[in-house]
Amino acid sequence: MGAILETAVIVLNWNGWADTERCLHSLLRLDADDYSIIVCDNASSDGSPERLRRWIARSLPSLNAQRQGCGRQPIEVTLLETGGNLGYAGGNNVGLRHALTRGFAHFWILNNDCEPAPDALDWLRRRVAEDGRIGLCGATLVYADGNGRVQTRGGGRFSRLKGRGSAIGGMGRVDARVERAAIEREMGYVSGASVLVTRAFLQAVGPMSEDYFLYWEELDWWVRARGRFRLGYAPQAIVRHRVGASIGTSDHGEGSALSTYYLTRNRVKFCWRHSRVSLPFVYADLGRRVAANVVRGRWERATLLLRAIAGLPFVT
């Protein structure tokens, strides 16, 4: 690889090669030079590995030529096949472990349905450089529909009473003035859609817990690190996000069966593991949701919730 690069950008793909290609195009437009991209494919069944190899062979050379024409350095893109559908944490951990052995100082986990602004990485690294205690740093995630609305500023807060996370700054205007320090004081986790991880954090805390499979692993990651690091927020790091493009997550309204199952199961799992004071409210809240679906005759959804609450496997 030559000289050791500063940042490894890790992009997880699962049956979403088109989104991943858009993400890669945006990453090749970053202002920075000292980074490399690692795409981890989670045993996609849509031909993603072949399509992404073809993209690397055909599109990457011309995009790197454009970078060189603008005085920037060419960027390396590596495709790793994880060997199975390991979930969000497992798939990203493959990239983290690979990058850790190559000496990178920072690791930027970025959802494949995200497109960062050209200066986003610079702003993230600048914030981490300002405070050596920061282990995880979040960006300003903006809905990709072009309406200028924020999905979250950095991440979210966690309510121990309700056993629930909530986005900070959600639906606010991206151009609104904010106080970074105030947001960092509120943060209980960094959004997993875009998180810059320091080498010190990864070596001290380890990779994400893989038994969540999807959702809540970013909260677990931070709880395991609490007291040793701080959370950071880079307001100027703008990342456009097509929420839930791969698995049907929805910030507004009901999500897919898959997302509903794991959001429910892992809410119980996280609270049992880290916040048992939350469990009475969590069980009552989920019980109301089950009852509401029964009343409406939505037996499949009610059964799905019950299986998730009990920790039974997801079935299609």
Side-chain angles (χ1 to χ4, degrees), residues 135-201:
L136 303 174
C137 188
T140 300
L141 291 172
V142 180
Y143 288 108
D145 56 13
N147 66 6
R149 296 292 178 181
V150 171
Q151 180 195 5
T152 183
R153 292 191 178 277
R157 56 182 76 84
F158 176 72
S159 169
R160 285 179 57 83
L161 174 63
K162 297 182 177 181
R164 178 186 295 156
S166 59
I168 296 174
M171 297 307 295
R173 294 290 308 177
V174 68
D175 54 1
R177 297 188 63 175
V178 297
E179 184 184 350
R180 184 188 67 197
I183 290 174
E184 289 181 344
R185 285 193 296 271
E186 283 192 73
M187 290 172 67
Y189 59 94
V190 173
S191 170
S194 172
V195 51
L196 188 72
V197 186
T198 68
R199 186 177 186 87
F201 180 95

Side-chain angles (χ1 to χ4, degrees), residues 45-127:
S45 58
D46 67 344
S48 281
E50 294 77 15
R51 288 180 177 272
L52 292 171
R53 285 193 198 94
R54 191 158 56 242
W55 184 93
I56 292 170
R58 296 180 180 178
S59 298
L60 182 59
S62 62
L63 290 170
N64 271 329
Q66 293 175 24
R67 288 184 58 85
Q68 290 176 299
C70 297
R72 300 191 185 117
Q73 296 297 313
I75 299 303
E76 176 189 63
V77 178
T78 302
L79 175 64
L80 301 178
E81 294 188 58
T82 67
N85 186 0
L86 307 182
Y88 170 85
N92 278 306
N93 282 348
V94 169
L96 287 171
R97 293 188 181 102
H98 176 81
L100 191 62
T101 66
R102 302 180 72 189
F104 290 97
H106 297 103
F107 313 86
W108 188 14
I109 297 175
L110 187 70
N111 274 17
N112 73 323
D113 55 4
C114 286
E115 297 178 46
D119 59 353
L121 179 56
D122 287 336
W123 283 112
L124 286 166
R125 295 193 302 202
R126 186 178 303 184
R127 177 66 192 116

